[in-house]
Structure formats: structure tokens, C-alpha cells
Amino acid sequence: MKYLMLIYGNEQIWGSLPAGDLATLIGEVDAFNEDLRARGELVDVQGLDAPARSVRMAGDTPVVTDGPYLEAKEYVGSYFVVDVDSEQRALEIARSYPGLRFAPGVGGGIEMWPLMIRDGVEN
């Protein structure tokens, strides 16, 4: 079963971290990712870059605007995809993400989405 983990954060908070703290967090996340990779559970991991764009219909025309999360305090800053045996394991991984516990008020959150299976085949 594959799960998409969306990592939410607050750009102002992340940007205000002392350089040493940010380097520590990045090191912890890199080690977390390497552990999942070594277990064969990490499918993909990427940070997202601004600006986000939103494409929505306005009448009959697709209109491009700034993404819907740019006005929010938290936005999706990165994601990773895991391929695991159960939802329980996916939740265990999400709970162990280093950014959640790094410092009070810094961690943001994670949304966990199961990826669809088509015709009995995982994408």
C-alpha cells in the first residue's frame, strides 16, 4: 500500500530558526529518509518550491492564480511517498517524522493520503 505524506509548515517559523537548528533538523530528516530508503519503504521524497499555483475553472475558462495555501499560516512544504504493508505502518512512519517534534510550534503537521489502486495495480 502506498501513502502520500504531505508535510505542512509555517514559512515564517522555519525561516526564523537559527542556522544551527535548521541544519540539525535537516540532518534528522535526511537520516529519517535514509532509514526508510534502506528498509525499501521510501518511494519518493521532494521539497516543494514557491510559488504554488492554483488552476480553477471560472465559467468555461481555466484561471491560474496563486495557490490556495499562500494565504494560510501553514502550507505544504514537502512530501514523501512510502510503500508499506499496512496503514498501521504508514501511521507509525508519520508519527516518527522528525519535523513534528523538533521544537514546540515549529513542526506543522502531516496529512497522510492512501494512493489509489487502479484495476488491482498500485500506481
Side-chain angles (χ1 to χ4, degrees):
M1 301 172 65
K2 292 181 184 172
Y3 291 88
L4 170 67
M5 308 286 190
L6 298 174
I7 312 300
Y8 283 81
N10 181 309
E11 187 174 19
Q12 288 179 324
I13 292 172
W14 289 110
S16 67
L17 287 175
D21 287 354
L22 185 58
T24 297
L25 176 58
I26 290 169
E28 289 178 11
V29 170
D30 286 346
F32 172 85
N33 292 338
E34 189 52 43
D35 180 58
L36 292 177
R37 189 175 286 114
R39 293 172 179 264
E41 295 176 323
L42 185 64
V43 174
D44 189 28
V45 59
Q46 298 291 326
L48 303 177
D49 202 2
R53 298 287 185 239
S54 176
V55 182
R56 299 175 187 254
M57 292 301 289
D60 294 334
T61 307
V63 176
V64 179
T65 62
D66 288 342
Y69 302 109
L70 294 182
E71 297 300 321
K73 290 182 181 180
E74 291 186 341
Y75 66 96
V76 179
S78 62
Y79 73 90
F80 62 99
V81 177
V82 295
D83 188 357
V84 295
D85 293 332
S86 67
E87 179 182 42
Q88 184 65 22
R89 175 62 183 142
L91 286 167
E92 182 180 299
I93 290 168
R95 286 184 192 113
S96 68
Y97 184 72
L100 291 177
R101 293 174 312 285
F102 182 72
V106 173
I110 294 179
E111 282 184 359
M112 187 177 93
W113 291 78
L115 297 181
M116 295 177 100
I117 298 174
R118 294 187 191 175
D119 300 325
V121 177
E122 288 187 31
N123 294 323

